[in-house]
């Protein structure tokens, strides 16, 4: 799947973190390692910015 399609699809879930999406769009290579790293970063973002997620320790992905 092309990188643009991956970014578009994940943007549906990460719409509250546009700066993270922008960084993902600017990655030179898209592979599983990069993709998983961004998921981890997004989970950390949600944990720090979403009271309910922080209280329950939930992860969105």
């Amino acid at each position: 799947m092309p990188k643009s399609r991956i970014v578009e699809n994940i943007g549906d879930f990460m719409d509250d973190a546009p700066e993270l999406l922008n960084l993902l769009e600017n990655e030179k290579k898209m592979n599983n390692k990069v993709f998983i790293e961004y998921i981890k970063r997004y989970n950390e973002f949600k944990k720090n910015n979403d009271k309910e997620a922080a209280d329950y320790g939930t992860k969105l992905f």
Side-chain angles (χ1 to χ4, degrees):
M1 182 181 303
K3 181 176 90 166
S4 60
R5 180 81 172 157
I6 293 169
V7 171
E8 180 183 325
N9 288 333
I10 196 134
D12 293 340
F13 297 100
M14 298 172 79
D15 61 344
D16 55 345
E19 62 282 348
L20 197 55
L21 270 175
N22 189 36
L23 289 172
L24 183 61
E25 287 175 345
N26 292 323
E27 283 289 335
K28 292 181 182 176
K29 291 176 73 175
M30 179 63 68
N31 57 39
N32 288 341
K33 185 177 180 181
V34 171
F35 181 77
I36 290 169
E37 182 59 35
Y38 276 88
I39 297 299
K40 288 178 182 178
R41 290 173 71 179
Y42 182 70
N43 285 336
E44 190 63 31
F45 168 82
K46 287 300 283 186
K47 182 179 171 186
N48 292 332
N49 294 301
D50 185 335
K51 176 87 169 104
E52 290 179 21
D55 287 345
Y56 297 107
T58 59
K59 297 195 176 187
L60 299 180
F61 292 102

